[in-house]
Amino acid sequence: MRLRAAVTFAMSLGLLAPGAFADGYETRPEAAERDPDYAAGKKAIGDKNWGEAIARLRNAEVRDPDNPDLQNWLGYANRNLKNYDLAFKHYRRAIELDPRHRGAHEYLGETYLLVGDLAGAEKHLAALKEICLLPCDELADLQRAIAEYRRTK
C-alpha cells in the first residue's frame, strides 16, 4: 500500500513516467494484455510516439474493431498529430460503441476546443456530468480545458 501511494505521488509530480501508458479510462483494460500491437500502441502513446502508436493500434483494430478503448486511443494519437478529422472519427466510434465512455467524451470535448467549437465541447461536458455521478477526472479535466479556453478567447 505504501509503495503504491509513493509511486502515485511521484507520478503526480512528474518524477516517474508510466512505462506502458495505463492512465486514462478504459472499459477493457485487459485487452492490451491479449494483443501485443495494442500494448505496443499504448506504450508508444506513453512515449509520445504518435505515428508508431497509430500504426500499432491500427493493426490491433483489425482484430478488435469494436473495442471502444482502442478507438479512443486512436483518436488521441491522431489528435496529437493534428489529424482532427481522424480523431473525431475514432472518438465518435468509441462513443457509438460505449455511450458512457468517459475518456472519449473528455478527449472529444478537448478536440472540439482545438478547432474552436466551444458548443461541441460543452455538449460532452454535459454528457460527463450525467455519466460521472461521483467526481471523475475526465469531468474535471474537460471543465478545466473549457475554463482555460474561455479565459484565452
Side-chain angles (χ1 to χ4, degrees):
M1 183 70 170
R2 283 185 183 163
L3 176 60
R4 185 176 182 183
V7 169
T8 300
F9 179 71
M11 287 177 69
S12 74
L13 294 177
L15 300 174
L16 293 176
F21 192 79
D23 294 15
Y25 172 82
E26 290 189 309
T27 59
R28 300 181 195 171
E30 74 286 350
E33 296 170 17
R34 292 191 311 262
D35 190 317
D37 281 317
Y38 189 8
K42 285 179 62 178
K43 181 181 182 320
I45 285 173
D47 295 340
K48 298 184 181 189
N49 185 345
W50 311 119
E52 175 70 10
I54 291 168
R56 298 303 291 266
L57 292 170
R58 288 176 83 188
N59 287 341
E61 182 184 28
V62 171
R63 293 181 291 280
D64 194 5
D66 296 331
N67 182 328
D69 301 326
L70 197 149
Q71 294 298 322
N72 185 49
W73 292 129
L74 276 165
Y76 185 76
N78 275 288
R79 181 181 93 181
N80 279 283
L81 285 177
K82 298 183 179 15
N83 296 332
Y84 298 130
D85 288 341
L86 285 172
F88 282 121
K89 173 189 160 204
H90 289 291
Y91 290 140
R92 287 180 183 132
R93 179 69 176 139
I95 291 170
E96 177 184 305
L97 293 167
D98 178 2
R100 299 179 60 81
H101 197 288
R102 297 188 325 246
H105 281 289
E106 175 197 343
Y107 290 158
L108 184 52
E110 291 169 352
T111 306
Y112 276 118
L113 294 175
L114 291 171
V115 300
D117 185 348
L118 178 59
E122 288 175 330
K123 174 183 167 193
H124 291 281
L125 180 64
L128 283 169
K129 286 179 179 178
E130 291 289 321
I131 294 166
C132 298
L133 300 177
L134 300 173
C136 69
D137 291 340
E138 295 81 8
L139 174 61
D141 290 347
L142 185 53
Q143 284 174 321
R144 255 190 312 279
I146 288 172
E148 179 64 26
Y149 179 86
R150 285 188 174 131
R151 196 171 22 259
T152 60
K153 295 296 174 191

